[in-house]
Amino acid sequence: GAHETKNFPSLLPLFNASGLGSVDVFPAVGPSPIAVVRIYETGSGNGFFEEQLTSSAILSSGQKAILLGPSDLTQFRMNIGVRTFGGGATITTTVVHSNGESAHSQSTSFPADSITQLNAEQMLGAPLSESDSILIEVTSGSALVYGSIVNNATQASSMQIARPFSE
């Protein structure tokens, strides 16, 4: 009901699911509900809170965005995730070294209504160097793209959403 608050210790059992996923929240009636989610690693319990994302975080065909890689690859690692919608997406990623030099580009297609999360090297087809950035261009479809930086010692993580920019 209006102004009601719900707390779910874990959403996955509600859907008889496990592993990686995303949740789309739609109201039965009225305005969109507000959601805050705690994302955590089950072994250590380390995690962070992620506020609800709106459609403004979705990259559409022709849009460009950026993710920033770790500054210290001995202490941190990076995963990159792509959440697609109805038509899937084709995304071109370009690794850019800290000196501004483009190092590697590749184009990857993702199926409709899917979520893919891989370590950065698998997703990009090339290893990252310290302080690299990743340019993202959606060449068809639409997707939400994010990066997760994980501390190798504690498993604590942070999440960044690839936000659109114009040159």
Side-chain angles (χ1 to χ4, degrees):
H3 308 287
E4 184 178 16
T5 301
K6 295 272 188 184
N7 180 35
F8 302 97
S10 179
L11 286 176
L12 294 175
L14 295 175
F15 299 108
N16 292 324
S18 63
L20 182 65
S22 68
V23 175
D24 297 337
V25 179
F26 298 99
V29 294
S32 293
I34 297 170
V36 177
V37 177
R38 181 165 187 269
I39 300 168
Y40 65 96
E41 194 272 326
T42 54
S44 68
N46 288 321
F48 58 92
F49 286 92
E50 177 62 39
E51 292 197 29
Q52 178 176 339
L53 299 171
T54 64
S55 60
S56 65
I58 299 171
L59 302 171
S60 298
S61 184
Q63 284 189 299
K64 294 180 181 181
I66 190 166
L67 291 172
L68 302 177
S71 59
D72 183 340
L73 292 171
T74 60
Q75 293 187 47
F76 301 96
R77 66 185 184 277
M78 182 176 195
N79 299 312
I80 298 173
V82 176
R83 165 64 160 91
T84 64
F85 300 91
T90 300
I91 297 173
T92 300
T93 54
T94 303
V95 177
V96 179
H97 291 318
S98 60
N99 65 4
E101 176 186 318
S102 293
H104 177 80
S105 287
Q106 80 171 21
S107 185
T108 308
S109 293
F110 299 90
D113 296 314
S114 68
I115 185 165
T116 303
Q117 180 177 301
L118 300 170
N119 71 47
E121 186 170 345
Q122 290 173 310
M123 184 67 80
L124 302 170
L128 287 177
S129 297
E130 292 184 343
S131 299
D132 279 354
S133 58
I134 299 112
L135 298 180
I136 296 146
E137 182 176 5
V138 177
T139 55
S140 69
S142 61
L144 186 137
V145 181
Y146 63 91
S148 172
I149 307 278
V150 182
N151 181 306
N152 290 326
T154 66
Q155 305 308 306
S157 61
S158 63
M159 182 174 174
Q160 62 177 303
I161 304 299
R163 303 282 181 181
F165 72 89
S166 55
E167 296 182 85

